[in-house]
Amino acid sequence: MTLLEDLARALAGGSLEIVDLTHTLDPDFPVIVLPPELGQCARFRMEEVSHYDHRGPAWKWHNISMSEHTGTHFDAPSHWVSGRDVANGSVDEIPAGNLMAPAVVIDCSAGSAENDDFELTPDILLEWERAHGSIPAGCWVLMRTDWSHRSGAAYLNMRDDGPHSPGPTPDAVRFLVDERNILGFGTETIGTDAGQGAHYTPPYPAHFYLHGAGKYGLQCLCNLDKLPATGAMLVTPPLKIRNGTGSPLRVLALKET
């Protein structure tokens, strides 16, 4: 029990801090907007069932509804066509050991502040590695853009040709999957791909390459500016939905103070 006791003491003593990387889930939080001929992601909805009243004198509760991919959420491999046949590809099948893993943070905030369509490239990843060491296998790679400081229309950033937000290039995703064997990729934006990701080859390369390789996605994260470049540990259990392709969740990071 020594390791667990050490962890408990570190948390109680303040030498470990828990950082919440999750947006509050409410009806106003934006969701991805697809072309009108396609099915749409549902926003979060909450309906009061009782409030210590004639409907339930001693309790308060709600019915809720939303898409699997609303708010801060987890993407399982089965979410994308490339991952439809991946073993353990739905959220209920993901091994529990994959739901807690180390994370590295790639700081793209300066470039994203200057360019809404900022691209994470292999050169940026290699430059990061020169400063911090090789990206370890089995980790989360989080793309910090400070996009989570935006809200409402500025968060979606829709224009006549669709949304504009930062994201990885196809080569960057292939590098992370093929050369570094990461566990998953996370962003502060509405998806793991750039807003204009439909125009890459293949379209939406983060979804295509990550999920085709059995990797995971996290999106709509916040507080990445509070994490170190290396050394954080993520806790990311989605709801255990049978055959679920994703799930809203509360993402927690442990870091040393």
Side-chain angles (χ1 to χ4, degrees):
M1 292 293 291
T2 302
L3 288 176
L4 292 179
E5 289 170 351
D6 288 346
L7 175 62
R9 281 194 292 268
L11 289 169
S15 59
L16 275 181
E17 178 185 355
I18 298 176
V19 181
D20 192 347
L21 306 185
T22 318
H23 284 281
T24 299
L25 194 55
D26 64 42
D28 294 326
F29 194 85
V31 296
I32 193 169
V33 177
L34 300 175
E37 66 271 16
L38 300 177
Q40 301 298 315
C41 180
R43 287 178 178 253
F44 175 78
R45 291 289 182 265
M46 185 166 68
E47 174 191 15
E48 186 176 272
V49 179
S50 68
H51 191 159
Y52 326 121
D53 54 21
H54 66 282
R55 299 168 297 173
W59 53 90
K60 177 182 178 181
W61 55 353
H62 303 91
N63 290 326
I64 60 174
S65 63
M66 74 208 85
S67 166
E68 296 170 315
H69 301 270
T70 296
T72 301
H73 64 277
F74 187 106
D75 281 356
S78 64
H79 174 47
W80 212 250
V81 63
S82 57
R84 62 183 175 184
D85 296 321
V86 167
N88 301 318
S90 59
V91 287
D92 60 311
E93 297 172 332
I94 293 172
N98 289 354
L99 302 179
M100 189 169 183
V104 303
V105 180
I106 314 297
D107 187 354
C108 301
S109 58
S112 299
E114 296 178 356
N115 179 10
D116 289 348
D117 295 309
F118 180 84
E119 293 180 316
L120 174 63
T121 65
D123 285 343
I124 293 172
L125 294 169
L126 291 171
E127 181 181 358
W128 184 95
E129 289 191 326
R130 285 190 286 272
H132 302 288
S134 182
I135 294 170
C139 78
W140 283 100
V141 173
L142 307 180
M143 181 181 176
R144 176 190 164 191
T145 58
D146 291 348
W147 205 259
S148 59
H149 298 174
R150 299 183 177 215
S151 60
Y155 187 75
L156 288 177
N157 202 28
M158 295 288 291
R159 302 179 194 166
D160 291 342
D161 59 348
H164 288 259
S165 57
T169 65
D171 286 344
V173 183
R174 281 197 298 265
F175 174 81
L176 292 172
V177 170
D178 297 337
E179 302 297 327
R180 296 297 180 261
N181 192 26
I182 64 169
L183 179 71
F185 182 74
T187 66
E188 295 180 77
T189 51
I190 204 77
T192 49
D193 278 293
Q196 291 288 294
H199 301 294
Y200 286 123
T201 302
Y204 304 108
H207 284 78
F208 183 86
Y209 289 121
L210 286 168
H211 301 322
K215 311 300 184 182
Y216 313 128
L218 291 170
Q219 41 267 297
C220 304
L221 298 171
C222 63
N223 291 328
L224 295 188
D225 54 331
K226 297 181 180 179
L227 298 186
T230 65
M233 180 73 68
L234 292 197
V235 183
T236 60
L239 295 174
K240 199 172 183 179
I241 304 168
R242 185 179 299 277
N243 297 323
T245 70
S247 165
L249 77 168
R250 192 161 189 171
V251 181
L252 303 178
L254 280 70
K255 70 168 188 175
E256 294 185 29
T257 57

